[in-house]
Amino acid sequence: MPLLEHIRELRSRLLKALFFLLIGAIIGFLVFDQVWDFLQKPYCKLEVNKGEDAGTCGLYVTGLTAGFFVYLKIALIIGAILSSPFWLYQLWAFVAPGLHHREKRWTYIFLACAIPLFLSGAALAYFTLDKGLTILLGFTPGGVTNIVTIDSYLGYMIAMLLIFGISFELPLFVVILNLAGVLSHEKLAKHRRMIIFGLFVFAAVATPSADPFTMLALALPTVVLFLFAELIAFFHDKRKAKRTELYDGLSDDEASVIEDEPYDIGTPEPLDR
């Protein structure tokens, strides 16, 4: 396909993806109240909200258009999630023709593992969100009112969901690199302590609240997943070592035996002069 046709196809795929995103955003506007009740539950459970009026959680907006932009932001997030199968298919349909059969198979396996891992990390972040918020708001000096805006709360929540979800993908990349022959189990075992220490450092730096509870809530499951990934790498390398390679027993400067029969190119025809 010429380059211009690739650009036209990319434009067509992007327009279709945006169309599905728009449809999802419209649905997001319709179900905003139900989704917002779910999103604000971690904040509503905090002790600082026990004295609030019934039906409120003490979240604020500032400005005349702030409420509209809250609707728009949440609707777009809902739309991106609901329409993800459709715009992911558009992306896949654009990339897939350039992949070999084996590469397509590995992509399917990667997606089948990546999506549950990301959702598991996001779920863990949601259920531990109130603990981190309690620690953060606990630093507010006595006699001072902490006015939490919806924008700041949503920003904190989205950051937590993304960080936990992406962190749960790290062991999957370890397995992929091992299957590709880039990272062996021997190297993983040799640097295991440094990798675990690095995961704790990453958890301490990546979490927005930087409190010990949230750091441990992220670091401990990630370490367990890494050890499970290392176990998979161990069995894969062990199985790979038992395979009989074509060039086993040959030194680097020794020529291999050609098993196939030589190809007969025939008698060359005389050149016309």
Side-chain angles (χ1 to χ4, degrees):
M1 184 183 295
L3 177 60
L4 187 59
E5 291 298 323
H6 277 293
I7 296 176
R8 288 175 179 172
E9 184 185 3
L10 178 61
R11 181 186 63 182
S12 175
R13 299 291 181 186
L14 288 176
L15 290 176
K16 291 178 181 178
L18 290 175
F19 172 76
F20 288 119
L21 178 60
L22 178 61
I23 298 299
I26 293 174
I27 298 176
F29 269 102
L30 299 178
V31 298
F32 173 84
D33 293 334
Q34 294 84 348
V35 174
W36 175 242
D37 289 339
F38 175 78
L39 292 178
Q40 67 175 344
K41 276 184 180 179
Y43 184 79
C44 293
K45 293 192 301 183
L46 301 182
E47 292 293 332
V48 295
N49 297 314
K50 297 303 181 182
E52 299 287 342
D53 296 334
T56 64
C57 290
L59 290 171
Y60 300 89
V61 293
T62 57
L64 297 175
T65 60
F68 169 76
F69 282 109
V70 169
Y71 262 86
L72 183 61
K73 182 184 296 185
I74 295 180
L76 287 175
I77 294 173
I78 298 172
I81 296 174
L82 293 179
S83 63
S84 58
F86 302 99
W87 55 261
L88 282 175
Y89 169 77
Q90 297 300 323
L91 177 62
W92 174 249
F94 180 75
V95 176
L99 300 177
H100 296 289
H101 176 72
R102 185 178 181 182
E103 294 170 340
K104 291 180 181 180
R105 184 183 64 181
W106 283 114
T107 303
Y108 293 140
I109 296 175
F110 177 82
L111 289 176
C113 298
I115 294 175
L117 284 174
F118 183 89
L119 294 178
S120 300
L124 178 62
Y126 178 82
F127 289 112
T128 59
L129 200 66
D130 57 325
K131 304 297 182 182
L133 289 171
T134 301
I135 295 174
L136 282 178
L137 296 176
F139 288 102
T140 304
V144 177
T145 302
N146 195 334
I147 300 178
V148 181
T149 63
I150 294 180
D151 284 336
S152 63
Y153 173 68
L154 278 180
Y156 175 81
M157 170 175 276
I158 293 173
M160 287 285 291
L161 296 179
L162 290 178
I163 290 171
F164 272 68
I166 294 174
S167 298
F168 273 46
E169 305 286 353
L170 295 178
L172 179 60
F173 283 102
V174 173
V175 174
I176 294 295
L177 291 176
N178 175 259
L179 295 178
V182 179
L183 189 61
S184 65
H185 172 263
E186 183 180 358
K187 292 182 180 179
L188 291 173
K190 182 180 179 181
H191 302 286
R192 183 186 300 119
R193 293 183 179 180
M194 290 300 300
I195 293 175
I196 294 176
F197 176 75
L199 291 175
F200 275 91
V201 173
F202 170 78
V205 174
T207 51
S209 59
D211 61 273
F213 177 83
T214 306
M215 181 196 74
L216 292 176
L218 176 60
L220 293 179
T222 308
V223 170
V224 173
L225 289 174
F226 165 74
L227 294 177
F228 183 70
E230 183 185 347
L231 185 63
I232 295 177
F234 169 75
F235 286 111
H236 175 259
D237 289 355
K238 187 177 181 180
R239 179 184 177 187
K240 185 178 179 181
K242 293 181 180 180
R243 297 176 184 172
T244 303
E245 298 292 340
L246 179 62
Y247 304 110
D248 282 348
L250 296 178
S251 62
D252 294 338
D253 55 353
E254 183 179 354
S256 63
V257 179
I258 300 177
E259 299 292 344
D260 297 334
E261 296 181 359
Y263 179 72
D264 185 12
I265 62 175
T267 305
E269 297 180 359
L271 297 176
D272 295 335
R273 297 189 180 275

